[in-house]
Amino acid sequence: MFAGQALAQVTPTPRPDPNSSASAPAGPVVLPAILVDLFDPAAAPPSPNPPPVAPLANRPLLLVAPQAVSGAFVPDEVLVSINGDPQAAATVAAALGLEVRSMRQSALLGVTVARFGIPDGRPVGVVLAQLAGDARILSRAPNHIYSLQQAATIGSYAFGRIEIAAAEARGTGVRIAVIDTAADETHPALAGVIAGTFDAMEETPVADRGHGTSITGILAGIGVSPGIAPGAVIFHARAFEGGRSTMSVILSALDWAAEQDVRLINMSFVGPANDLMARAVGAARERGILLVAAAGNNGPQAPYGYPAAYPEVIAVTATDDEDGLMEQANRGPYVYVAAPGVQLVAPVPGGTDLVTGTSFAAAVVSGAIANLLSAAPDHSADWVEHALASTAHDLGPAGRDTDFGFGLINTKAAAAAR
């Protein structure tokens, strides 16, 4: 908290427990337990070219339940963090008939993260259960798939709704990371806006620059498409193509973002709960980095959207020019605040267009936060979170609710909070 300032206490609605089966409206089907030899890849369907494994005497058969996996994921991969060097990861993979597809040291997690391929068709849940038997494995998770949150169809009305004068909006000097598609750096609205770039998908050709251009433009655009926080220093990580990405790619982008000494990371995407995602955003928040994410565009009955639903993240829903909730928005106790996100004018490759989605509402909130930090760089992440919540314009039922969270952000009031 900023020295000499105090805020009214805000009591948030308890966040969902990501490990609880009650955290989403519908849970996955749990498969029956099976007999798995944790030390013998021959216990699973045979691989065409299994790696050599040293024979072990008296290898026990253990009763292991396949791990139930929810959400979309890469069907033949798992992610693990390893207590040991790359050779330890290779040994673990060989013992279970897996392929080491990539391996690197995570700056946020401080451990080696390996992406194992499953060459023989075993279900991901079975492999996760098999990996549970090895003490060298610190964590294991599916390689979940995440998607950008743009609805099917910043703008001038956004400034007025969040109580900030467009002529006075400033994000000067605030370092912000955007994890998204590639951006069109040749667009006039982005001229000189992006200070650094990172491609977490080097092996995939760039075909899509639309979503990333709009998000960065809403944040810090200049000229005829002014952003909420012009002057902010943007570090743009390309981690999406065709609207999709994976946990391994996103973790690489998060690591890079943290290394840029940013104050804030904008994550306008949604996917399932994932152990590595939870640990990464937790580690980033411990560093004092603010994390802003889209609540999701999958409707009121949709499961909670992650990373927004993690307690370290500011989950943003979208409203229109009359403060009505976007119909497609996710609902849930994890929603923290609301911001304009319906029919916003935003830069796109080749010009401007109207965009809709919680993705763009998240960018509006990130821009508002940049204004607060530009005016008072010593404000802590905790101060910013509480200032947004305590000064928001309450919408819907009194108090925090599952539609609007604490309500529509009020940048002017937040800046004056004590």
Side-chain angles (χ1 to χ4, degrees):
M1 183 170 291
F2 183 55
Q5 292 186 340
L7 291 174
Q9 292 296 313
V10 176
T11 304
T13 301
R15 299 275 189 154
D17 180 358
N19 298 314
S20 169
S21 61
S23 67
V29 176
V30 179
L31 300 176
I34 61 171
L35 286 173
V36 178
D37 184 342
L38 294 183
F39 302 98
D40 189 354
S47 169
N49 297 293
V53 181
L56 297 174
N58 301 318
R59 291 177 291 183
L61 280 176
L62 300 179
L63 186 63
V64 178
Q67 179 174 320
V69 182
S70 61
F73 55 89
V74 180
D76 65 341
E77 290 183 353
V78 292
L79 300 178
V80 298
S81 58
I82 301 286
N83 183 13
D85 56 18
Q87 183 55 48
T91 301
V92 171
L96 286 174
L98 304 173
E99 300 171 341
V100 179
R101 294 184 176 172
S102 67
M103 196 179 331
R104 64 183 189 81
Q105 186 74 11
S106 168
L108 279 174
L109 303 183
V111 296
T112 297
V113 176
R115 180 167 58 98
F116 290 164
I118 309 169
D120 53 23
R122 275 172 288 169
V124 165
V126 169
V127 174
L128 293 174
Q130 291 173 321
L131 288 164
D134 195 309
R136 292 165 293 189
I137 302 297
L138 300 175
S139 65
R140 63 205 195 286
N143 195 7
H144 275 124
I145 294 171
Y146 295 78
S147 59
L148 296 170
Q149 292 301 284
Q150 178 169 352
T153 57
I154 114 197
S156 56
Y157 86 85
F159 289 96
R161 300 318 303 160
I162 66 170
E163 295 291 338
I164 184 170
E168 300 173 1
R170 295 287 185 277
T172 307
V174 180
R175 298 165 73 90
I176 302 174
V178 173
I179 298 177
D180 215 283
T181 70
D184 179 8
E185 295 183 68
T186 69
H187 196 293
L190 302 189
V193 170
I194 299 176
T197 60
F198 173 69
D199 192 347
M201 308 177 75
E202 289 182 319
E203 297 179 357
T204 304
V206 175
D208 180 10
R209 298 181 185 271
H211 196 273
T213 299
S214 295
I215 293 297
T216 299
I218 288 170
L219 258 172
I222 61 173
V224 297
S225 299
I228 299 294
V233 183
I234 303 298
F235 294 87
H236 195 103
R238 180 223 179 190
F240 284 81
E241 193 59 55
R244 309 297 288 276
S245 187
T246 65
M247 185 61 239
S248 59
V249 170
I250 292 171
L251 179 58
S252 178
L254 283 168
D255 277 332
W256 175 80
E259 291 169 352
Q260 308 314 303
D261 193 29
V262 298
R263 295 294 308 274
L264 184 154
I265 300 176
N266 187 90
M267 302 180 291
S268 290
F269 54 84
V270 159
N274 182 285
D275 179 62
L276 290 180
M277 179 73 82
R279 293 173 60 200
V281 298
R285 190 64 176 75
E286 286 178 1
R287 294 187 180 201
I289 299 173
L290 282 151
L291 302 135
V292 177
N297 300 341
N298 299 310
Q301 301 303 316
Y304 297 154
Y306 293 88
Y310 289 120
E312 298 87 357
V313 180
I314 296 172
V316 183
T317 193
T319 53
D320 59 25
D321 58 355
E322 295 183 349
D323 299 341
L325 187 66
M326 186 183 80
E327 184 178 352
Q328 309 101 303
N330 287 32
R331 294 1 179 230
Y334 69 94
V335 176
Y336 197 73
V337 289
V342 178
Q343 296 285 294
L344 299 180
V345 178
V348 297
T352 60
D353 203 352
L354 294 177
V355 296
T356 292
T358 56
S359 273
F360 309 109
V364 170
V365 171
S366 291
I369 291 172
N371 277 264
L372 299 178
L373 294 177
S374 182
D378 290 338
H379 281 331
S380 69
D382 285 344
W383 188 96
V384 170
E385 286 186 347
H386 287 110
L388 290 176
S390 64
T391 62
H393 174 54
D394 195 8
L395 301 174
R400 187 178 184 181
D401 62 73
T402 59
D403 288 357
F404 300 96
F406 286 105
L408 183 69
I409 62 167
N410 184 323
T411 313
K412 183 178 180 180
R418 293 291 186 268

